[in-house]
Structures are given as C-alpha cells and as structure tokens.
Amino acid sequence: MKAVIVKPLIGLGLFGLFGLILWADPSGRYFNLSGLFLVFVGTFAATALAHSFRSVSELLRQLRSKLGNKPSLQNEDLEVFLQVVEAHRRGSVRAAEQAVRRLREPLLRTGAELVINRTPHADLTRMLQWKIGAQRERDQAEIQIVRTMCAFAPAFGMLGTLLGLIGMMYGLDDNRMEQIGEAMGFAMLTTVYGLVLANLVLKPVATRLERRANENLAWAYVQMESVLMLHDRCHAGMFRDYWQAFFDHPEANEPVDSLPLSVAKS
C-alpha cells in the first residue's frame, strides 16, 4: 500500500519539477543537446570500455525489471513444492520427479532434483552454495557497473566545462561576445548534467539494486534451507510455516546475515 502511494507522488514531484523548469526557462536555455550528448554518451562509452558493451547494454535493457521484481513465492510454486515434499517422504520417486518439473524457481527445482537423485548432504550443500555465490557475483557486477557510471558522469561534465572554457578563450581572442556566451553556457550546463545524472539518477539506482540484491540473496538462502529440509524429510507443515515467517518478517528485506538461518552463519 505504501509503495502504491509513494510512486505516484514521486512521479507527480518529477513532473512538477519539469514544469517548473519550463516555466522558469521558456526559451530552453537549460537544455543543451550537445552537452547532454557528451555526458550521457560519454558515460555509457567509458563504462562499456571499463566493463563490456554487452554487460552494460544488457543491464540497461533489464534495469526496469531488476528494480521492480521483489523475491516472492507464488502459491502455485508453494503447493507444487509441498507435493514434492510429500512424495519424497512417501518414497514415491516418480511422483516427486513429475512435481519437480512444474517448479518455476530455478534454485528450488535444481535442489529438489539433486535430492531426488540421492545426492549426499555435503555435495548438495556445496552445489547450492556455488549457485548462490554465482548469483551474488552477478548482482555485485551489475551494481559495480552503475557505480562506475556514477564516477564517470561528473568527469564528463567537467570535460564539457573544460571544452566550453577553451571555446570561450577562442572567443575572447576573436572578440566575439556571442561565442563567449554560448561557450560559457555549454561549460556550466555540462557540469550540471553530470551532477544530476550521477546524484539524482545513478546513485539512487545503485542503492535500489543493492537492496534488491540483498533481498534476492536472503530468498536464495531460504530456498537453500528448504532444499536441505527436503533432504532431511521434514514435515510439509514446517515448510509452509518457514516460508510464511520469512515473507511476513518485518526485516525480511535486510541482508541475509541478519536472518536467523543456520546456513547463513556457516
């Protein structure tokens, strides 16, 4: 409910800020296409050189879904996994395998398949920890890409300032006041664009990505614990109570180290 109220308010605030800028500057003096091009394209190009073009473009393409998707378990997945639990407790391998194929959570599905195939507890734990570690590395790599953009954006804004000052000096030499004003405006606006891009866009995005990564990591450890409970043939009611406690916990979105999971302490 809080998110439903806050998001429209943020949208109205940004729309109001845009309208205020247009009202205060009807001539469009705060809009400089070449300055925007230098800061935005320069930041993207430098980040692509620092990481890779594929990773940067893929992150930008999936950014909306990464910021919006919170870890959750659909009722259908819960019921399917409980069917796997009951079939495994009865020793019905075929029924368990059929139920596992309907699981949509990759980590749960992989872990359940390993349990059905009678993977030893140590090997099962090692495999799940490896998958969680790989997911954590991917999340941290994406966050580092945004952090790199945060560092490059003000730098390209300063580069535009230096280029504008150079143009202003040439205008002084030729005694052309119009060129001096245009160069000075370009110099100041590129700095503004770089600061706005870094502090009002990229830093909030990086913070939200970090929060979402913590949520995904906590949920991954819950899935790992559930698979280990499946291996130990725990009762189905324990799984339902365990997952419900996680999603109802007021601090379920905190980093995994704050959760009372035995596996998180290992």
Side-chain angles (χ1 to χ4, degrees), residues 242-263:
Y242 183 65
W243 289 337
Q244 192 65 37
F246 171 75
F247 288 110
D248 290 346
H249 198 280
E251 296 181 356
N253 294 335
E254 295 298 322
V256 68
D257 292 338
S258 65
L259 294 174
L261 301 179
S262 58
V263 69

PDB file of all heavy atoms in Angstrom, residues 242-263:
ATOM      1  N   TYR A 242       7.764 -21.985   7.646  1.00  0.00           N
ATOM      2  CA  TYR A 242       9.084 -21.366   7.455  1.00  0.00           C
ATOM      3  C   TYR A 242       9.023 -20.259   6.407  1.00  0.00           C
ATOM      4  O   TYR A 242       9.517 -19.148   6.621  1.00  0.00           O
ATOM      5  CB  TYR A 242      10.080 -22.448   7.047  1.00  0.00           C
ATOM      6  CG  TYR A 242      11.489 -21.977   6.887  1.00  0.00           C
ATOM      7  CD1 TYR A 242      12.223 -21.509   7.971  1.00  0.00           C
ATOM      8  CD2 TYR A 242      12.104 -22.022   5.640  1.00  0.00           C
ATOM      9  CE1 TYR A 242      13.528 -21.086   7.829  1.00  0.00           C
ATOM     10  CE2 TYR A 242      13.410 -21.598   5.492  1.00  0.00           C
ATOM     11  CZ  TYR A 242      14.123 -21.139   6.583  1.00  0.00           C
ATOM     12  OH  TYR A 242      15.404 -20.710   6.427  1.00  0.00           O
ATOM     13  N   TRP A 243       8.409 -20.540   5.256  1.00  0.00           N
ATOM     14  CA  TRP A 243       8.304 -19.538   4.192  1.00  0.00           C
ATOM     15  C   TRP A 243       7.406 -18.385   4.623  1.00  0.00           C
ATOM     16  O   TRP A 243       7.701 -17.227   4.331  1.00  0.00           O
ATOM     17  CB  TRP A 243       7.764 -20.181   2.919  1.00  0.00           C
ATOM     18  CG  TRP A 243       8.737 -21.107   2.261  1.00  0.00           C
ATOM     19  CD1 TRP A 243      10.095 -21.091   2.393  1.00  0.00           C
ATOM     20  CD2 TRP A 243       8.424 -22.194   1.397  1.00  0.00           C
ATOM     21  NE1 TRP A 243      10.646 -22.097   1.662  1.00  0.00           N
ATOM     22  CE2 TRP A 243       9.649 -22.794   1.030  1.00  0.00           C
ATOM     23  CE3 TRP A 243       7.250 -22.716   0.896  1.00  0.00           C
ATOM     24  CZ2 TRP A 243       9.719 -23.886   0.176  1.00  0.00           C
ATOM     25  CZ3 TRP A 243       7.317 -23.807   0.038  1.00  0.00           C
ATOM     26  CH2 TRP A 243       8.534 -24.386  -0.307  1.00  0.00           C
ATOM     27  N   GLN A 244       6.301 -18.709   5.304  1.00  0.00           N
ATOM     28  CA  GLN A 244       5.401 -17.649   5.724  1.00  0.00           C
ATOM     29  C   GLN A 244       6.082 -16.715   6.723  1.00  0.00           C
ATOM     30  O   GLN A 244       5.900 -15.500   6.681  1.00  0.00           O
ATOM     31  CB  GLN A 244       4.146 -18.262   6.361  1.00  0.00           C
ATOM     32  CG  GLN A 244       3.018 -17.276   6.580  1.00  0.00           C
ATOM     33  CD  GLN A 244       2.469 -16.723   5.268  1.00  0.00           C
ATOM     34  OE1 GLN A 244       2.381 -17.450   4.289  1.00  0.00           O
ATOM     35  NE2 GLN A 244       2.132 -15.445   5.249  1.00  0.00           N
ATOM     36  N   ALA A 245       6.903 -17.289   7.603  1.00  0.00           N
ATOM     37  CA  ALA A 245       7.636 -16.468   8.567  1.00  0.00           C
ATOM     38  C   ALA A 245       8.629 -15.563   7.861  1.00  0.00           C
ATOM     39  O   ALA A 245       8.839 -14.413   8.269  1.00  0.00           O
ATOM     40  CB  ALA A 245       8.354 -17.368   9.569  1.00  0.00           C
ATOM     41  N   PHE A 246       9.236 -16.047   6.790  1.00  0.00           N
ATOM     42  CA  PHE A 246      10.203 -15.222   6.051  1.00  0.00           C
ATOM     43  C   PHE A 246       9.518 -14.041   5.379  1.00  0.00           C
ATOM     44  O   PHE A 246       9.962 -12.896   5.506  1.00  0.00           O
ATOM     45  CB  PHE A 246      10.929 -16.068   5.008  1.00  0.00           C
ATOM     46  CG  PHE A 246      11.777 -15.260   4.067  1.00  0.00           C
ATOM     47  CD1 PHE A 246      12.993 -14.730   4.473  1.00  0.00           C
ATOM     48  CD2 PHE A 246      11.355 -15.007   2.767  1.00  0.00           C
ATOM     49  CE1 PHE A 246      13.774 -13.983   3.616  1.00  0.00           C
ATOM     50  CE2 PHE A 246      12.127 -14.262   1.905  1.00  0.00           C
ATOM     51  CZ  PHE A 246      13.339 -13.744   2.335  1.00  0.00           C
ATOM     52  N   PHE A 247       8.429 -14.280   4.670  1.00  0.00           N
ATOM     53  CA  PHE A 247       7.777 -13.205   3.932  1.00  0.00           C
ATOM     54  C   PHE A 247       6.979 -12.276   4.839  1.00  0.00           C
ATOM     55  O   PHE A 247       6.697 -11.142   4.452  1.00  0.00           O
ATOM     56  CB  PHE A 247       6.875 -13.786   2.845  1.00  0.00           C
ATOM     57  CG  PHE A 247       7.639 -14.370   1.692  1.00  0.00           C
ATOM     58  CD1 PHE A 247       7.678 -15.732   1.477  1.00  0.00           C
ATOM     59  CD2 PHE A 247       8.362 -13.553   0.843  1.00  0.00           C
ATOM     60  CE1 PHE A 247       8.399 -16.269   0.422  1.00  0.00           C
ATOM     61  CE2 PHE A 247       9.093 -14.082  -0.208  1.00  0.00           C
ATOM     62  CZ  PHE A 247       9.106 -15.446  -0.416  1.00  0.00           C
ATOM     63  N   ASP A 248       6.603 -12.740   6.024  1.00  0.00           N
ATOM     64  CA  ASP A 248       5.899 -11.884   6.962  1.00  0.00           C
ATOM     65  C   ASP A 248       6.836 -11.164   7.916  1.00  0.00           C
ATOM     66  O   ASP A 248       6.401 -10.288   8.657  1.00  0.00           O
ATOM     67  CB  ASP A 248       4.908 -12.700   7.794  1.00  0.00           C
ATOM     68  CG  ASP A 248       3.733 -13.172   6.966  1.00  0.00           C
ATOM     69  OD1 ASP A 248       3.555 -12.642   5.842  1.00  0.00           O
ATOM     70  OD2 ASP A 248       3.011 -14.075   7.416  1.00  0.00           O
ATOM     71  N   HIS A 249       8.115 -11.522   7.877  1.00  0.00           N
ATOM     72  CA  HIS A 249       9.066 -10.929   8.810  1.00  0.00           C
ATOM     73  C   HIS A 249       9.250  -9.456   8.477  1.00  0.00           C
ATOM     74  O   HIS A 249       9.481  -9.103   7.327  1.00  0.00           O
ATOM     75  CB  HIS A 249      10.419 -11.650   8.716  1.00  0.00           C
ATOM     76  CG  HIS A 249      11.314 -11.417   9.894  1.00  0.00           C
ATOM     77  ND1 HIS A 249      12.062 -10.274  10.046  1.00  0.00           N
ATOM     78  CD2 HIS A 249      11.573 -12.177  10.987  1.00  0.00           C
ATOM     79  CE1 HIS A 249      12.749 -10.340  11.164  1.00  0.00           C
ATOM     80  NE2 HIS A 249      12.482 -11.486  11.761  1.00  0.00           N
ATOM     81  N   PRO A 250       9.180  -8.545   9.425  1.00  0.00           N
ATOM     82  CA  PRO A 250       9.300  -7.112   9.112  1.00  0.00           C
ATOM     83  C   PRO A 250      10.650  -6.721   8.570  1.00  0.00           C
ATOM     84  O   PRO A 250      10.774  -5.685   7.940  1.00  0.00           O
ATOM     85  CB  PRO A 250       9.026  -6.434  10.464  1.00  0.00           C
ATOM     86  CG  PRO A 250       9.309  -7.486  11.486  1.00  0.00           C
ATOM     87  CD  PRO A 250       8.943  -8.785  10.846  1.00  0.00           C
ATOM     88  N   GLU A 251      11.679  -7.538   8.799  1.00  0.00           N
ATOM     89  CA  GLU A 251      13.009  -7.230   8.299  1.00  0.00           C
ATOM     90  C   GLU A 251      13.453  -8.271   7.284  1.00  0.00           C
ATOM     91  O   GLU A 251      14.626  -8.569   7.155  1.00  0.00           O
ATOM     92  CB  GLU A 251      14.006  -7.166   9.455  1.00  0.00           C
ATOM     93  CG  GLU A 251      13.701  -6.046  10.440  1.00  0.00           C
ATOM     94  CD  GLU A 251      14.717  -5.985  11.560  1.00  0.00           C
ATOM     95  OE1 GLU A 251      15.595  -6.878  11.579  1.00  0.00           O
ATOM     96  OE2 GLU A 251      14.644  -5.069  12.390  1.00  0.00           O
ATOM     97  N   ALA A 252      12.469  -8.810   6.545  1.00  0.00           N
ATOM     98  CA  ALA A 252      12.817  -9.843   5.562  1.00  0.00           C
ATOM     99  C   ALA A 252      13.629  -9.284   4.430  1.00  0.00           C
ATOM    100  O   ALA A 252      14.266 -10.031   3.693  1.00  0.00           O
ATOM    101  CB  ALA A 252      11.540 -10.489   5.001  1.00  0.00           C
ATOM    102  N   ASN A 253      13.641  -7.968   4.244  1.00  0.00           N
ATOM    103  CA  ASN A 253      14.388  -7.361   3.159  1.00  0.00           C
ATOM    104  C   ASN A 253      15.778  -6.935   3.573  1.00  0.00           C
ATOM    105  O   ASN A 253      16.473  -6.274   2.811  1.00  0.00           O
ATOM    106  CB  ASN A 253      13.630  -6.138   2.633  1.00  0.00           C
ATOM    107  CG  ASN A 253      12.332  -6.543   1.978  1.00  0.00           C
ATOM    108  OD1 ASN A 253      12.194  -7.657   1.515  1.00  0.00           O
ATOM    109  ND2 ASN A 253      11.378  -5.633   1.966  1.00  0.00           N
ATOM    110  N   GLU A 254      16.212  -7.284   4.797  1.00  0.00           N
ATOM    111  CA  GLU A 254      17.555  -6.945   5.229  1.00  0.00           C
ATOM    112  C   GLU A 254      18.543  -7.951   4.660  1.00  0.00           C
ATOM    113  O   GLU A 254      18.163  -9.017   4.171  1.00  0.00           O
ATOM    114  CB  GLU A 254      17.621  -6.950   6.757  1.00  0.00           C
ATOM    115  CG  GLU A 254      16.757  -5.864   7.391  1.00  0.00           C
ATOM    116  CD  GLU A 254      17.209  -4.478   6.995  1.00  0.00           C
ATOM    117  OE1 GLU A 254      18.423  -4.248   6.899  1.00  0.00           O
ATOM    118  OE2 GLU A 254      16.346  -3.615   6.756  1.00  0.00           O
ATOM    119  N   PRO A 255      19.859  -7.670   4.710  1.00  0.00           N
ATOM    120  CA  PRO A 255      20.849  -8.619   4.230  1.00  0.00           C
ATOM    121  C   PRO A 255      20.717  -9.954   4.932  1.00  0.00           C
ATOM    122  O   PRO A 255      20.245 -10.054   6.066  1.00  0.00           O
ATOM    123  CB  PRO A 255      22.186  -7.929   4.551  1.00  0.00           C
ATOM    124  CG  PRO A 255      21.852  -6.488   4.575  1.00  0.00           C
ATOM    125  CD  PRO A 255      20.461  -6.401   5.119  1.00  0.00           C
ATOM    126  N   VAL A 256      21.199 -10.998   4.277  1.00  0.00           N
ATOM    127  CA  VAL A 256      20.997 -12.357   4.769  1.00  0.00           C
ATOM    128  C   VAL A 256      21.679 -12.596   6.092  1.00  0.00           C
ATOM    129  O   VAL A 256      21.293 -13.432   6.873  1.00  0.00           O
ATOM    130  CB  VAL A 256      21.497 -13.360   3.701  1.00  0.00           C
ATOM    131  CG1 VAL A 256      23.006 -13.268   3.564  1.00  0.00           C
ATOM    132  CG2 VAL A 256      21.083 -14.779   4.058  1.00  0.00           C
ATOM    133  N   ASP A 257      22.736 -11.849   6.409  1.00  0.00           N
ATOM    134  CA  ASP A 257      23.435 -12.053   7.662  1.00  0.00           C
ATOM    135  C   ASP A 257      22.561 -11.745   8.867  1.00  0.00           C
ATOM    136  O   ASP A 257      22.836 -12.191   9.969  1.00  0.00           O
ATOM    137  CB  ASP A 257      24.687 -11.169   7.728  1.00  0.00           C
ATOM    138  CG  ASP A 257      25.725 -11.609   6.715  1.00  0.00           C
ATOM    139  OD1 ASP A 257      25.641 -12.789   6.304  1.00  0.00           O
ATOM    140  OD2 ASP A 257      26.589 -10.796   6.327  1.00  0.00           O
ATOM    141  N   SER A 258      21.484 -10.954   8.683  1.00  0.00           N
ATOM    142  CA  SER A 258      20.620 -10.611   9.791  1.00  0.00           C
ATOM    143  C   SER A 258      19.496 -11.617   9.983  1.00  0.00           C
ATOM    144  O   SER A 258      18.727 -11.503  10.925  1.00  0.00           O
ATOM    145  CB  SER A 258      20.000  -9.223   9.585  1.00  0.00           C
ATOM    146  OG  SER A 258      19.154  -9.237   8.457  1.00  0.00           O
ATOM    147  N   LEU A 259      19.382 -12.610   9.101  1.00  0.00           N
ATOM    148  CA  LEU A 259      18.301 -13.578   9.203  1.00  0.00           C
ATOM    149  C   LEU A 259      18.728 -14.760  10.062  1.00  0.00           C
ATOM    150  O   LEU A 259      19.886 -15.160  10.045  1.00  0.00           O
ATOM    151  CB  LEU A 259      17.915 -14.084   7.800  1.00  0.00           C
ATOM    152  CG  LEU A 259      17.300 -13.031   6.892  1.00  0.00           C
ATOM    153  CD1 LEU A 259      17.099 -13.616   5.509  1.00  0.00           C
ATOM    154  CD2 LEU A 259      16.000 -12.511   7.435  1.00  0.00           C
ATOM    155  N   PRO A 260      17.798 -15.330  10.794  1.00  0.00           N
ATOM    156  CA  PRO A 260      18.127 -16.442  11.673  1.00  0.00           C
ATOM    157  C   PRO A 260      18.218 -17.747  10.924  1.00  0.00           C
ATOM    158  O   PRO A 260      17.480 -18.697  11.186  1.00  0.00           O
ATOM    159  CB  PRO A 260      16.962 -16.441  12.672  1.00  0.00           C
ATOM    160  CG  PRO A 260      15.805 -15.937  11.888  1.00  0.00           C
ATOM    161  CD  PRO A 260      16.384 -14.912  10.947  1.00  0.00           C
ATOM    162  N   LEU A 261      19.110 -17.844   9.956  1.00  0.00           N
ATOM    163  CA  LEU A 261      19.289 -19.055   9.182  1.00  0.00           C
ATOM    164  C   LEU A 261      20.609 -19.689   9.569  1.00  0.00           C
ATOM    165  O   LEU A 261      21.653 -19.015   9.584  1.00  0.00           O
ATOM    166  CB  LEU A 261      19.280 -18.763   7.678  1.00  0.00           C
ATOM    167  CG  LEU A 261      18.013 -18.112   7.141  1.00  0.00           C
ATOM    168  CD1 LEU A 261      18.164 -17.858   5.657  1.00  0.00           C
ATOM    169  CD2 LEU A 261      16.807 -18.965   7.411  1.00  0.00           C
ATOM    170  N   SER A 262      20.581 -20.962   9.838  1.00  0.00           N
ATOM    171  CA  SER A 262      21.815 -21.629  10.229  1.00  0.00           C
ATOM    172  C   SER A 262      22.809 -21.631   9.094  1.00  0.00           C
ATOM    173  O   SER A 262      24.026 -21.517   9.305  1.00  0.00           O
ATOM    174  CB  SER A 262      21.504 -23.057  10.646  1.00  0.00           C
ATOM    175  OG  SER A 262      20.875 -23.777   9.596  1.00  0.00           O
ATOM    176  N   VAL A 263      22.325 -21.713   7.852  1.00  0.00           N
ATOM    177  CA  VAL A 263      23.232 -21.760   6.724  1.00  0.00           C
ATOM    178  C   VAL A 263      23.915 -20.432   6.492  1.00  0.00           C
ATOM    179  O   VAL A 263      25.018 -20.366   5.977  1.00  0.00           O
ATOM    180  CB  VAL A 263      22.474 -22.207   5.452  1.00  0.00           C
ATOM    181  CG1 VAL A 263      21.501 -21.142   5.008  1.00  0.00           C
ATOM    182  CG2 VAL A 263      23.444 -22.529   4.336  1.00  0.00           C
TER     183      VAL A 263
END
